[in-house]
Amino acid sequence: MQKPWQLQLKQALTGRSGHALRQQADYNEGANDLFKMVCTDEITRAIKQAHNPKAIIRQFLPASAEHHVTEGYQQDPVGDQNALAQQGIIHKYHGRVLLVASGSCAVNCRYCFRRHFPYQQHLASRHNWQAVIDYLSKHTEVHEIILSGADPLTLTTKTLTALTDRLSDLDHIKTLRIHSRMATVLPDRIDADFLAWLDSLPFHKVLVNHINHADELTQQAKTSLNQLKQHGVVLLNQSVLLKGINDNADDLVELSHALFKQGVLPYYLHLFDRVQNAAHFDVELSQAQHIYAEMRRKLPGYLLPKLVKEIAGEKAKTPVL
Ligand SMILES: *Cc1c(COP(=O)(O)O)cnc(C)c1O
Ligand code: SF4
């Protein structure tokens, strides 16, 4: 179902410059049937202001290359479905569990490793929260809840409040972590109600943003991040290393500095998870290592994200050196 904020990027990219951008992104309408294009106004603003519009547009525009089926690339590259402890709970890692809290996003990123994920079967939606609470009550070693999805901030603040009201009954839960792209792709989501909800939480609060290129940091995105910081949220960022988007050290170094300026620390730089229909984003390992070595030379340690790879079945993300 179309959400009110969702905008057809294609429509925003009309006219001569739009045509050029579509060409740069290898735009293909048919690829929309493989994974629906979903975008926001803020993204189109970012594209218009970008030094390198390609770096943004390729993240969101369906491309011809998505029709290629590549050997070795999978529907579920990180083994999420095998790690489901029960409906909506992915319990792979020690001390923390991930809740698949929502099945939609404000944007659909073409390289998403969950682009084929059957959310409807696996969602921790409201009617099975009780089962989630029961599971967590039995697992007192879990101290951190990661709200993920898709994007958990597609839930209304009212729904989030109802969920955290239940979670706050569990004394062993100390930290609430949110994995979301909202602060940058739909900064309006960080509204007064949402900030009041954050203030009300009895947890340490962490927001892991997802920003791949400095050009995504629009003025409004910066304002939202600033507000989150003022409301006591620890701000981190994860990026994915993507061919044709950020596969060079200069862009990534610039991103780290731009994040720091907004009070966000670079956390992870993920190697691309080999999801089917998106192989054209993959960066060769030797190239990734080369880029990372250059980042290490140019960045202070605290601005160097950890280069990691998700290996299905492993108990943590695997560092890549
Ligand atoms: C990445 C991930 C986490 C969190 O891992 P951290 O290393 O704590 O950031 C938790 N669960 C799943 C399934 C993950 O993929
Ligand atoms: S916001 Fe995250 S979960 Fe949603 S499509 Fe993008 S990468 Fe995937």
Side-chain angles (χ1 to χ4, degrees):
M1 198 176 55
Q2 190 85 2
K3 297 279 198 316
W5 64 78
Q6 292 175 348
L7 179 100
Q8 291 297 311
L9 182 58
K10 189 178 56 165
Q11 287 162 11
L13 297 174
T14 50
R16 201 137 46 126
S17 61
H19 178 72
L21 287 169
R22 284 203 297 278
Q23 274 195 330
Q24 286 174 7
D26 180 28
Y27 175 71
N28 175 275
E29 192 155 353
N32 190 50
D33 299 334
L34 298 172
F35 186 44
K36 197 168 132 38
M37 176 168 65
V38 180
C39 196
T40 63
D41 269 333
E42 198 61 21
I43 292 297
T44 60
R45 262 192 290 280
I47 290 167
K48 285 186 188 128
Q49 296 162 8
H51 298 292
N52 178 12
K54 272 192 281 191
I56 304 179
I57 202 169
R58 284 180 175 156
Q59 294 182 47
F60 304 108
L61 213 60
S64 317
E66 292 176 47
H67 293 289
H68 299 166
V69 172
T70 314
E71 209 183 317
Y73 290 71
Q74 287 150 17
Q75 300 288 312
D76 179 17
V78 306
D80 270 345
Q81 291 184 59
N82 287 331
L84 280 159
Q86 65 171 62
Q87 174 110 10
I89 297 186
I90 302 180
H91 192 175
K92 282 206 266 201
Y93 293 178
H94 182 80
R96 51 230 197 269
V97 301
L98 190 145
L99 287 192
V100 183
S102 158
S104 57
C105 297
V107 290
N108 276 350
C109 314
R110 308 313 297 176
Y111 54 85
C112 180
F113 72 90
R114 294 206 179 110
R115 59 180 279 161
H116 304 290
F117 194 75
Y119 284 110
Q120 293 326 314
Q121 293 166 36
H122 297 305
L123 214 54
S125 53
R126 211 171 173 136
H127 69 270
N128 48 37
W129 283 354
Q130 187 53 50
V132 170
I133 300 295
D134 290 345
Y135 181 89
L136 293 172
S137 311
K138 285 192 222 108
H139 288 269
T140 50
E141 80 282 9
V142 171
H143 55 83
E144 175 170 2
I145 303 290
I146 304 170
L147 298 186
S148 183
D151 195 316
L153 299 192
T154 51
L155 298 176
T156 62
T157 301
K158 210 169 141 202
T159 302
L160 289 170
T161 307
L163 176 60
T164 50
D165 280 353
R166 306 287 299 271
L167 293 174
S168 40
D169 292 337
L170 302 168
D171 288 340
H172 55 289
I173 305 300
K174 308 292 185 208
T175 301
L176 184 74
R177 187 197 319 186
I178 298 170
H179 283 187
S180 173
R181 259 198 118 154
M182 283 288 182
T184 50
V185 303
L186 187 65
D188 286 349
R189 176 67 188 89
I190 312 305
D191 59 10
D193 264 6
F194 180 74
L195 295 169
W197 169 71
L198 285 173
D199 287 340
S200 75
L201 295 175
F203 309 114
H204 301 299
K205 295 161 286 196
V206 182
L207 173 65
V208 181
N209 292 281
H210 175 172
I211 303 166
N212 296 314
H213 194 280
D215 282 343
E216 291 164 48
L217 288 162
T218 60
Q219 202 47 53
Q220 255 233 293
K222 290 177 187 174
T223 304
S224 293
L225 290 169
N226 210 10
Q227 282 174 322
L228 288 161
K229 195 172 61 173
Q230 281 167 9
H231 287 260
V233 182
V234 172
L235 298 173
L236 304 174
N237 184 60
Q238 55 183 340
S239 308
V240 184
L241 184 62
L242 296 164
K243 191 191 269 177
I245 292 175
N246 58 7
D247 57 337
N248 67 85
D250 285 345
D251 280 357
L252 290 167
V253 166
E254 186 190 341
L255 173 62
S256 275
H257 287 299
L259 290 168
F260 183 58
K261 228 167 144 179
Q262 306 311 318
V264 183
L265 287 176
Y267 179 45
Y268 280 141
L269 175 61
H270 296 272
L271 289 189
F272 175 76
D273 291 310
R274 298 193 153 165
V275 65
Q276 191 54 272
N277 304 104
H280 53 293
F281 287 116
D282 205 354
V283 176
E284 265 190 53
L285 180 61
S286 58
Q287 175 68 4
Q289 287 166 320
H290 183 77
I291 292 168
Y292 194 62
E294 190 175 338
M295 289 170 72
R296 192 199 298 277
R297 282 195 297 276
K298 292 185 172 166
L299 285 167
Y302 62 92
L303 293 187
L304 182 71
K306 298 178 184 71
L307 182 65
V308 291
K309 181 182 167 65
E310 181 83 20
I311 299 175
E314 288 290 321
K315 285 287 178 198
K317 299 202 193 324
T318 305
V320 178
L321 293 168

